[in-house]
Structures are given as C-alpha cells and as structure tokens.
Amino acid sequence: MLLFFLNLTVTGGSFNGLILYTNMISTISKYIHLQTRLTVFSHIYIYILNLVPSFEACFYKGMNMYAKIWVQLTYPIYLVLLAITFIIGSRYSTKVYRLTFNRALPVLATLFMLTYTSMLQAIASVPLYTTIITIPSHSSKNLWLLYPTIPLFGWKFSLLISVCFMLFLFSLMFNAILLFTKLLMRFKVIHRFKPLIDAFQGPYKYQYYYWLGIQLFIRNVMVLLCVLGKNISLTVSCIIIVTVAIFQGYIQPYKNKLINIQELLLLYNFVIMCILLIFNGNETMDIITVNVMVGLSFLHFLIILVYHLYTFVITIYCAKSTKTVTAVWNYIFEKCHSGKQIHNERFTMEIPEAQYNFANFQEPLIGAD
C-alpha cells in the first residue's frame, strides 16, 4: 500500500538505484559473513528492502530448512503468477486494463525487483549445497547439506530442484527480454508483455532500454561469484561496479538527470565500502565503515520517501482544490443558466400579449365600404 499510494515504484526511477544497492549489500553480507559487522538497525533496513526477514523466521514447530526454501520461493512465484494474470486480464477486461495501466503493474514490477536477489540466492543454495556423507559399514549417500536428512534425487529434493530450475529459466528469459527489447519487439508474442515491460523501462531513455537488463545481469553475476568464489567475490564485485558506474556516468541512461546523479552516488557508496573492506584488516574499522555507508544509503532512502510523501500530499491538496473550484464554477454556471432560462421564459410570455395589443390599434388599409 505504501508503494501504491506514494508511487514509490521502479517506473519513477528514483527507487531503482536504492533497490540495486540493498540487493548487492544483501548478497555480499550473506556470503562473506558481513552480518557480524552490521548493526541490528542495518540488518532490518537491508532485509526489509529485500522483502526477507532479518531473523531466522520459524512459522511453526519443526520448520526445517527445506520448508524455509519453499517459503522463500513462494513469494516470487506468487508475483509471477499475479503479473501474468493482470497481463491476460487487461486484454479482455477494460476495468483490469485501467487498474494495471495506473499503478498495479508498476507496484508488481517493484516487488519483483525487491525479491529478485533473494530468489536468486534461494535458487543457488539448492543445487550447490550438496555433500557426500560416508556412514561406517554402510554405503556412501549423497545428501543435501542444508538439511542432511533429505537424500539427493529423492522426491522432495527433485521437486524443489525442478521448481528452482524453472524459476532460473524464467529469470534468464526475463533478463534477455529486458536486454534485447528492441530486437524482440519484432515478435508479436512479446507485445503481450509490453505493459509489464513498460513498467520496468519507463524511466530510461529509449536508446538505453537495455540498462535495467544489465543491472539484473549484475545481480546474477554477484550471486554466482559469492557462492562459488567467496575469497574473490568482494574484489571482483568492486571491479564490476566501478566499470558499470563509469559507463553509467558517461551515458546517463535515465531521462531525469537527478536520478542519474543519485544512482551514481549509491554505486560509489558501494565501491568505497568494498575498497575499505578489502584493504582494511581492523574489524572495528570494518564495522564503522559498513554501518556508516549503509547509514548514508538509509538517509538517501529517507529523502526519497519524504519527496514522494510531499508529492502525495500536494496531489491530494490540488485534487481537493480543483474539486472546490469546480464546484463553485458549476454553482455559478447553474445560477447564470437558470437566470437566462427565467428571462427567456418572461420574454416569450410577453411577446404574444404585445402582438395582440398591437393588432387592436391597427387601422385597415381598405375602407369598410
């Protein structure tokens, strides 16, 4: 509801850089043990903007890691199905089209971007966290490391890996659509998804519609690096973000220059934090560095939130003022219109009488004889 009423969506563009920043912090904090350097406030701020709980959530007694992975995957699946439902419904219903054209699809696009990284992390954790456990006097078994009571290639693990594989293919397809939108628009099938694509690519210049696809590709690469190579993930991530920041500063893909500046500030915030973590061996300084940089991004988020709240209040005030002015104008118009009607009625009533009296005083042109 906050995203809906304040129009805090990726279609506006002001929220895109902040989502990318928190997604990257969430990725490196999970795989290089950055959680120990984050304060409770930083934990809550980062994980709320990634739409995941900042604590080990347990919804019922006996909830294991297998169920937690399913919970983590359920929300992106729900958003995908909801978006497909809106797209199909907008083609056959005018009411659904008006709703999606206004705010529904931008909010769904924003929620999908918020959960994109957590979905990738859940997908990556399923096939990669496997191990071989050898039991004495028994044959060795392939077990899932996150929950070793589940054997590999059993029906539980097979179902989970199948869903993860389908979501991975969907993320690749979606990434390809956003990267090569201009080329794929030649096919009529892509036109059906145009309302959703427009919700993502709205703030970008036409020649740089591919930029959001590049940002999604950066998320994919960072998750893969952090899972496979934990020792080099921070250095490689820093090099990638520096390259992207330089290129983005040169082309300025957003229509609004202010949005270009604020996203560059967030990218350089992440780069400075990575450089200080790489070359600084003091744990106390690392804690200060991480939380100061995250605090600056939170200040950035507050500025965006206040701006959208101010815009929302101004919009309501202008709407009320417009209604008041319209009501006064309609009242005056009705009074003037009713006055004209009364005057016309009196005029038409007096004409026959005047004609009748005038006829009485007419003299005949020919004599009576």
Side-chain angles (χ1 to χ4, degrees):
M1 297 301 290
L2 185 68
L3 297 175
F4 190 90
F5 284 110
L6 297 185
N7 197 20
L8 200 63
T9 61
V10 293
T11 307
S14 59
F15 205 35
N16 297 21
L18 195 64
I19 295 175
L20 177 63
Y21 179 85
T22 53
N23 287 165
M24 293 187 298
I25 295 292
S26 173
T27 302
I28 65 171
S29 65
K30 184 174 182 179
Y31 294 107
I32 66 170
H33 305 293
L34 196 64
Q35 293 97 330
T36 56
R37 296 177 176 88
L38 291 171
T39 60
V40 177
F41 175 77
S42 299
H43 266 292
I44 295 173
Y45 162 65
I46 290 171
Y47 285 101
I48 281 179
L49 285 187
N50 285 276
L51 291 184
V52 292
S54 59
F55 52 89
E56 291 296 329
C58 183
F59 297 107
Y60 58 89
K61 185 177 180 180
M63 185 177 181
N64 52 37
M65 198 62 194
Y66 181 78
K68 289 182 180 180
I69 293 293
W70 273 113
V71 170
Q72 201 168 355
L73 292 175
T74 301
Y75 192 64
I77 293 173
Y78 162 73
L79 290 178
V80 170
L81 294 176
L82 197 61
I84 292 173
T85 304
F86 272 120
I87 291 170
I88 295 174
S90 62
R91 292 180 60 85
Y92 299 100
S93 175
T94 308
K95 293 182 179 180
V96 176
Y97 176 78
R98 290 174 181 173
L99 178 64
T100 55
F101 184 77
N102 188 14
R103 294 281 175 85
L105 281 183
V107 170
L108 280 175
T110 306
L111 292 174
F112 183 78
M113 292 298 296
L114 289 171
T115 58
Y116 186 79
T117 302
S118 61
M119 181 187 70
L120 290 178
Q121 292 172 3
I123 292 172
S125 63
V126 175
L128 296 176
Y129 284 93
T130 58
T131 186
I132 300 175
I133 297 178
T134 303
I135 304 174
S137 69
H138 290 81
S139 60
S140 60
K141 291 184 177 181
N142 296 328
L143 300 176
W144 190 34
L145 186 60
L146 292 179
Y147 194 62
T149 59
I150 297 178
L152 294 183
F153 308 111
W155 71 270
K156 286 186 176 181
F157 185 81
S158 300
L159 179 62
L160 185 60
I161 197 72
S162 301
V163 173
C164 289
F165 182 70
M166 290 174 61
L167 284 175
F168 179 69
L169 289 180
F170 172 79
S171 65
L172 287 181
M173 180 186 67
F174 186 72
N175 200 341
I177 290 174
L178 292 180
L179 268 174
F180 307 107
T181 304
K182 294 181 180 179
L183 295 176
L184 294 175
M185 277 300 169
R186 300 174 183 177
F187 303 98
K188 294 182 180 180
V189 179
I190 305 299
H191 287 213
R192 299 180 181 179
F193 300 94
K194 196 174 186 305
L196 185 61
I197 295 173
D198 290 341
F200 283 102
Q201 296 178 337
Y204 299 97
K205 299 175 184 177
Y206 177 73
Q207 62 269 30
Y208 302 123
Y209 272 179
Y210 59 85
W211 192 251
L212 185 60
I214 291 178
Q215 291 186 346
L216 290 178
F217 183 72
I218 291 170
R219 291 169 170 88
N220 298 336
V221 172
M222 288 189 65
V223 171
L224 186 63
L225 285 173
C226 290
V227 171
L228 295 178
K230 298 179 182 179
N231 296 326
I232 63 171
S233 60
L234 197 62
T235 305
V236 177
S237 299
C238 182
I239 294 172
I240 292 173
I241 298 304
V242 167
T243 306
V244 171
I246 293 173
F247 188 62
Q248 182 169 346
Y250 176 73
I251 65 172
Q252 296 185 357
Y254 290 97
K255 299 174 184 176
N256 193 331
K257 292 182 179 180
L258 186 61
I259 296 177
N260 286 309
I261 294 172
Q262 69 176 20
E263 188 161 315
L264 281 175
L265 290 176
L266 288 169
L267 291 176
Y268 285 121
N269 181 324
F270 181 80
V271 169
I272 292 170
M273 183 181 65
C274 290
I275 292 173
L276 293 176
L277 287 174
I278 292 169
F279 294 101
N280 187 17
N282 191 347
E283 186 176 355
T284 304
M285 289 301 297
D286 288 346
I287 293 172
I288 295 173
T289 299
V290 171
N291 289 285
V292 167
M293 292 302 174
V294 173
L296 290 175
S297 71
F298 178 73
L299 180 63
H300 187 98
F301 171 68
L302 286 181
I303 293 173
I304 294 174
L305 193 63
V306 169
Y307 170 75
H308 281 269
L309 184 62
Y310 172 77
T311 307
F312 175 69
V313 172
I314 291 298
T315 303
I316 292 178
Y317 177 76
C318 291
K320 288 183 177 179
S321 301
T322 304
K323 288 182 179 179
T324 305
V325 172
T326 305
V328 172
W329 175 255
N330 289 336
Y331 177 78
I332 296 172
F333 180 77
E334 288 176 0
K335 287 294 182 182
C336 294
H337 187 66
S338 61
K340 287 182 179 179
Q341 285 184 343
I342 294 172
H343 176 72
N344 291 336
E345 289 176 359
R346 289 178 179 176
F347 183 73
T348 53
M349 287 175 64
E350 291 173 356
I351 290 297
E353 185 178 358
Q355 289 178 349
Y356 178 76
N357 293 334
F358 180 74
N360 291 333
F361 292 98
Q362 284 183 342
E363 295 182 358
L365 295 177
I366 302 175
D369 297 332

